[in-house]
Amino acid sequence: MKLQSYAEGEWYQSSESGQVLRHAITGADIAEISSDGLDFQAMADYARRTGGPALRRYTFHQRALMLKYLAKYLMERKELFYECSKATGATRTDSWIDIEGGITTLFIYSGKGRREMPNSHVMPDGEQEQISRTGAFTAQHIYTPLQGVAVQINAFNFPCWGMLEKLAPTVLAGMPTIVKPASQTAFLTELMIRHIIESNILPEGSLQLICGSTGDLLDHMDYQDTVSFTGSAQTGLKLKQHPAIVQNNTRFFMEADSLNCSILGSDVQPGSAEFELYIKEVTREMTVKAGQKCTAIRRAIVPKDRIHAVAEALSARLAKTTVGDPDQEGVRMGALAGLGQRTDVLAQVQKLAAENEIIFGSMSEVDVLGASAESGAFMSPVLLYCNNPQHTAAVHNVEAFGPVSTLIPYEDDEEAIALAAMGKGSLAGSVITADPQVARTLVLGAAPHHGRILVLNETCAKESTGHGSPLPHLIHGGPGRAGGGEELGGIRGVKHYMQRTALQGSPDMLSAITDTWLQGATRNTDGIHPFRKTFSQLEIGDALITDKRTITLEDIEAFAELSGDKFYAHMDKAAAQRNPFFEDRVAHGYFLVSLAAGLFVDPEEGPVLANYGLDHLRFAAPVYAGDELQVQFTCKQKVNRETEDYGEVRWDTTIVNQEGNVVANYDVLTLVAK
Ligand code: NAP
């Protein structure tokens, strides 16, 4: 089989013979890969001219729905991907992380996009900034999608997840993508992209695929383009310095290798629940995906006097890891992705073994179940011991991208932190302890060197997602050697593909641009109560200025009686006056919120279906008996729910007193029928 690229809306097969790809388990030839003959500049232009505009015609929510439909479509076909994934050497569990983990990332981004982004073409960033005396001149930051192409260059170990975790934020942002999978496992990425294209869910031009070299693609990168690279630090550094990327300030995101550590807290003794957790976690990280995970634990940092116990327990557990063809019953660890990878890993183990002692496993021997140890890319898990970690370089510098980890002793917390930092920047770290103070010391010391840290104890172990699993909600990336990148992290990950712009101008102008009513903008009080308008009839700025209501002491007492809130400042004049903030018995803040509803609600049945909460509630000034209050109630933002017959309406609610001073301000959140 010759792998094909998907360029300018068509499948393309190079006429040249290319690199031969082999089955990780059997060693049989399975595919050839070459991108010779592709016009890379034309691909980039096609993405920018066709894919970008087509995607950006949709709103954030409409694109989020595409992700959901795509996820469903792929999930229905997942067995095809599992079958193909066997050739990468993966067990069913390994493939699950790659295939269903990747598809789930689409689902999660779809949900987050619809919950946390507006259903619009522009996304406000943060709150309005008050920058003038009267408010006639104001400011608001916004995000808009970049207009170039998002190129993703991926590592071989996650052919599906690696592609989908980058596709989700780019689609949501509104940028077209060119995917370049690592050659070794590109057959699985190609299969999945074939199904994505067949689904017709993404608009034309929004997704292209290069199977093989990227040719001169990077020469054509511009400042509206992005390149997100996952792979070794060496390749990443080379690409980051590409002249076009440097000259044009192309956004370059790098997720590189890292020598992640897991620290066993000084409080944890053999026999405790946390000790068992540590042994499980390190073993799992060494053997899942045959250790081919950028987040895997490469350095197990353990109190010096417990090294022996940990070494023994780990060795016993690793001895139970059956290696072989994942189709065979009882096999726990499959093969590396290819013989080339095995050669690389063994060469790295050799470097590690020059300074450290191998205490479990072997570089040359492995018992393989159901397959040939010669033809398949199998290797035994290898555990090393580093005797002198402060003065040994390899353990903190050499990444063996396989089932390999090194035990490192430490004397005290300070040394554990120093050793963690010697990895010079990591994607993920973990601290396993039952003591919150130990956790705090280690985490605060190690956090500046990490993108993510798992703090594991017995309480959270059952539901823990583990040291090595990046989650769409959380940042994936890390400083220094890890590449300095930050992908995923929920909507943070989407913002990489958008430009942030500070807007300054009059409130009316900025309201019109941002689809959000801003303080100081015109209120439309046309005499029709806004609760009588349907979602489609409502416009941003539609407002109600309510009747006035004077607060009495009886009101305060009645509210105290009804709610049971008899805090002294509401009930006792002398005590209230001793309080530095009040001059008299003060009205309950929650009473103000309630009476405001009494002023702005239109009681008859109508399009407003429900009030589902408040945001940003602030009590700005005290209210006393005798004060006269009035509410300014303004339609601030509308979020059309694409698949429902209602939308969400956010109302700016400002309560003012007889002097025109704001006493409370918040957003009321309602559901309104279309
Ligand atoms: P790699 O050799 O650096 O390759 C990574 C990607 O770069 C591949 O797609 C490769 O394509 C491509 N590439 C290589 N040279 C290129 C060039 N001159 N121009 C354009 N593209 C080029 O890494 P790998 O062996 O695939 O992956 C293993 C490494 O990735 C490990 O070190 C691991 O720690 C790291 N990794 C990091 C993360 C993370 O999220 N931080 C995740 C997974 C893996 P070809 O395959 O066609 O050469």
Side-chain angles (χ1 to χ4, degrees), residues 19 33 152-158 161 165 180-185 212-215 218 229-236 238-239 254-258 292-295 298 341 344 399 401 427 470 476-478 481-483 487:
Q19 184 189 339
I33 182 168
Q152 43 162 283
I153 300 178
N154 298 334
F156 69 83
N157 57 338
F158 286 112
W161 179 84
E165 60 113 7
K180 150 49 185 159
S183 296
Q184 179 63 45
T185 52
S213 149
T214 50
L218 299 189
F229 168 83
T230 303
S232 62
Q234 201 184 1
T235 314
K238 190 167 93 186
L239 301 187
M254 176 161 148
E255 301 295 330
D257 55 41
S258 79
Q292 299 167 110
K293 273 187 357 190
C294 52
T295 48
R298 303 284 172 216
Q341 270 77 26
D344 289 351
E399 184 204 38
F401 201 57
L427 295 164
H476 175 58
R481 177 175 181 138
E487 56 190 32

Side-chain angles (χ1 to χ4, degrees), residues 193-267:
I193 288 192
R194 237 170 231 291
H195 285 275
I196 296 178
I197 300 294
E198 269 172 28
S199 76
N200 266 323
I201 291 168
L202 297 182
E204 191 186 334
S206 43
L207 179 60
Q208 297 179 81
L209 168 71
I210 297 173
C211 277
S213 149
T214 50
D216 65 357
L217 178 67
L218 299 189
D219 293 345
H220 307 292
M221 291 295 98
D222 207 342
Y223 76 102
Q224 289 288 307
D225 302 324
T226 62
V227 177
S228 38
F229 168 83
T230 303
S232 62
Q234 201 184 1
T235 314
L237 270 182
K238 190 167 93 186
L239 301 187
K240 192 178 181 177
Q241 292 168 40
H242 189 286
I245 288 176
V246 174
Q247 273 159 27
N248 299 321
N249 275 323
T250 304
R251 292 186 190 182
F252 188 90
F253 313 119
M254 176 161 148
E255 301 295 330
D257 55 41
S258 79
L259 288 148
N260 313 290
C261 70
S262 181
I263 307 177
L264 181 70
S266 53
D267 58 300

Side-chain angles (χ1 to χ4, degrees), residues 8-213:
E8 299 176 72
E10 308 217 333
W11 286 99
Y12 169 85
Q13 185 173 305
S14 172
S15 53
E16 305 294 317
S17 57
Q19 184 189 339
V20 176
L21 308 179
R22 298 204 162 82
H23 196 292
I25 304 289
T26 64
D29 294 357
I30 46 170
E32 231 179 82
I33 182 168
S34 168
S35 64
D36 277 359
L38 274 178
D39 184 340
F40 299 99
Q41 179 166 15
M43 285 178 79
D45 286 343
Y46 178 73
R48 294 179 192 122
R49 284 209 210 103
T50 308
L55 270 171
R56 290 191 295 274
R57 267 196 286 282
Y58 296 96
T59 62
F60 292 118
H61 284 213
Q62 289 164 341
R63 292 195 293 265
L65 279 175
M66 288 176 196
L67 294 179
K68 181 177 167 186
Y69 300 145
L70 196 55
K72 280 189 169 167
Y73 188 90
L74 295 176
M75 205 55 110
E76 283 161 14
R77 288 155 182 78
K78 68 180 181 183
E79 289 307 325
L80 295 172
F81 310 129
Y82 273 109
E83 192 52 37
C84 178
S85 178
K86 288 180 180 172
T88 69
T91 62
R92 178 90 188 177
T93 312
D94 298 341
S95 299
W96 178 82
I97 303 169
D98 186 36
I99 296 165
E100 297 195 46
I103 297 173
T104 305
T105 302
L106 299 183
F107 274 125
I108 289 176
Y109 265 97
S110 175
K112 281 196 156 291
R114 283 172 292 144
R115 270 194 313 278
E116 297 173 32
M117 297 175 85
N119 192 0
S120 166
H121 295 90
V122 53
M123 182 162 95
D125 172 48
E127 296 296 306
Q128 178 181 6
E129 297 286 347
Q130 290 300 356
I131 52 171
S132 72
R133 196 171 45 80
T134 67
F137 181 60
T138 190
Q140 172 71 52
H141 289 89
I142 56 165
Y143 279 106
T144 49
L146 292 178
Q147 312 236 317
V149 55
V151 173
Q152 43 162 283
I153 300 178
N154 298 334
F156 69 83
N157 57 338
F158 286 112
C160 299
W161 179 84
M163 178 260 295
L164 296 174
E165 60 113 7
K166 291 177 183 173
L167 187 66
T170 45
V171 166
L172 205 42
M175 272 190 98
T177 296
I178 296 178
V179 178
K180 150 49 185 159
S183 296
Q184 179 63 45
T185 52
F187 49 88
L188 179 50
T189 315
E190 195 235 45
L191 178 69
M192 192 172 262
I193 288 192
R194 237 170 231 291
H195 285 275
I196 296 178
I197 300 294
E198 269 172 28
S199 76
N200 266 323
I201 291 168
L202 297 182
E204 191 186 334
S206 43
L207 179 60
Q208 297 179 81
L209 168 71
I210 297 173
C211 277
S213 149

Side-chain angles (χ1 to χ4, degrees), residues 274-419:
E274 277 73 20
F275 189 87
E276 276 309 303
L277 286 173
Y278 191 74
I279 302 302
K280 258 195 212 159
E281 203 66 28
V282 176
T283 314
R284 188 169 54 218
E285 288 302 313
M286 285 179 71
T287 54
V288 166
K289 284 216 63 101
Q292 299 167 110
K293 273 187 357 190
C294 52
T295 48
I297 299 170
R298 303 284 172 216
R299 299 178 302 144
I301 303 179
V302 170
K304 197 171 189 166
D305 60 3
R306 269 150 276 174
I307 275 283
H308 189 65
V310 171
E312 224 170 56
L314 273 180
S315 302
R317 215 173 165 106
L318 287 170
K320 291 189 193 148
T321 305
T322 335
V323 179
D325 180 349
D327 267 349
Q328 295 285 318
E329 184 80 26
V331 165
R332 296 235 182 119
M333 189 172 100
L336 298 179
L339 290 172
Q341 270 77 26
R342 187 174 64 181
T343 308
D344 289 351
V345 175
L346 291 177
Q348 298 294 78
V349 175
Q350 201 141 29
K351 288 184 203 163
L352 287 168
E355 291 180 359
N356 307 287
E357 182 194 344
I358 294 184
I359 55 172
F360 180 87
S362 151
M363 287 174 60
S364 51
E365 282 170 34
V366 56
D367 290 333
V368 174
L369 201 70
S372 148
E374 280 71 48
S375 321
F378 298 101
M379 84 172 265
S380 142
V382 175
L383 182 66
L384 299 104
Y385 169 63
C386 173
N387 186 35
N388 191 5
Q390 295 269 15
H391 302 99
T392 313
V395 70
H396 307 296
N397 290 308
V398 175
E399 184 204 38
F401 201 57
V404 183
S405 192
T406 304
L407 270 182
I408 301 176
Y410 75 86
E411 291 279 1
D412 53 22
D413 288 352
E414 208 179 314
E415 189 182 18
I417 292 166
L419 290 169

